[in-house]
Amino acid sequence: MRDMIARITILVALSALLAGCSLRPLYAGGTNGVVAQQLGNIEIEPIAGKAGWLTRNALKDQLEAFEGQQAKYRLIVALEDKIAGFGVRGDDRITRERRTLRARYQLVRLSDSVVMLDATAGSDAGIDVVSSEYATIAAEDTALENLSVRVANQIVTRLSLFARTEANASPES
């Protein structure tokens, strides 16, 4: 019985500590929250190339849930997409490739063209090179699709953190 009381006391104490910490949900308030409203005010510039098209669509898919009335920011993204072979057989044939997608992005305030955020995101994927050229190309394309979604996730997460920081710094809050 004494053991049970000690465990309950510890559980209550830990619960009190957790309630006192400064952790807050990033998207508190849902679509009416400060972060969601800031994200809804971002327009995405077109991004060059197939990787750009895929990444822009992934960004739009994530940001359109927060759609606002008027754009206050412009998101400019520059991508670097590379494929490098690194698994080599004795006959000098490549057996493995690494596809890397890196993004440098800037969030520009439209009212005065000030760069509010300048950051990078990136991811990579391994691809098996098989005897079928079609299968290898399909694997490279699938890797690019997955990488563009991962990079877009990183960008939206960083934009969300920026939006929360801006909301906390503004005098209206």
Side-chain angles (χ1 to χ4, degrees):
M1 184 67 175
R2 198 176 276 183
D3 236 9
M4 181 71 104
I5 293 173
R7 287 182 183 174
I8 292 174
T9 304
I10 290 172
L11 184 61
V12 169
L14 289 175
S15 297
L17 284 174
L18 183 60
C21 76
S22 62
L23 292 177
R24 293 184 325 246
L26 184 59
Y27 298 108
T31 56
N32 296 325
V34 177
V35 172
Q37 290 176 357
Q38 288 279 57
L39 291 178
N41 295 328
I42 297 174
E43 72 178 26
I44 307 163
E45 264 196 6
I47 309 168
K50 181 178 182 178
W53 181 80
L54 289 167
T55 304
R56 185 171 190 269
N57 282 344
L59 286 166
K60 284 173 58 175
D61 287 347
Q62 292 183 43
L63 292 177
E64 74 183 6
F66 306 112
E67 201 166 328
Q69 284 94 345
Q70 174 180 321
K72 294 180 182 174
Y73 300 98
R74 177 181 304 120
L75 181 64
I76 303 168
V77 181
L79 294 176
E80 180 182 357
D81 178 24
K82 290 185 180 179
I83 298 178
F86 66 91
V88 182
R89 289 187 178 154
D91 61 357
D92 288 335
R93 285 191 10 205
I94 294 174
T95 60
R96 191 106 172 113
E97 294 176 336
R98 173 176 288 135
R99 186 163 207 160
T100 306
L101 185 63
R102 301 278 179 252
R104 177 162 185 224
Y105 57 96
Q106 295 179 322
L107 186 67
V108 178
R109 189 170 48 212
L110 293 175
S111 63
D112 55 5
S113 298
V114 170
V115 175
M116 302 299 290
L117 178 66
D118 189 350
T120 60
S123 190
D124 62 356
I127 303 164
D128 287 328
V129 178
V130 295
S131 59
S132 167
E133 189 175 330
Y134 175 78
T136 302
I137 291 170
E140 290 172 351
D141 286 346
T142 300
L144 181 59
E145 291 168 13
N146 293 336
L147 291 173
S148 63
V149 170
R150 284 188 219 149
V151 168
N153 287 340
Q154 292 175 21
I155 292 172
V156 170
T157 300
R158 182 63 182 94
L159 291 173
S160 299
L161 292 171
F162 168 79
R164 183 176 68 185
T165 303
E166 281 294 299
N168 291 338
S170 71
E172 298 118 30
S173 319

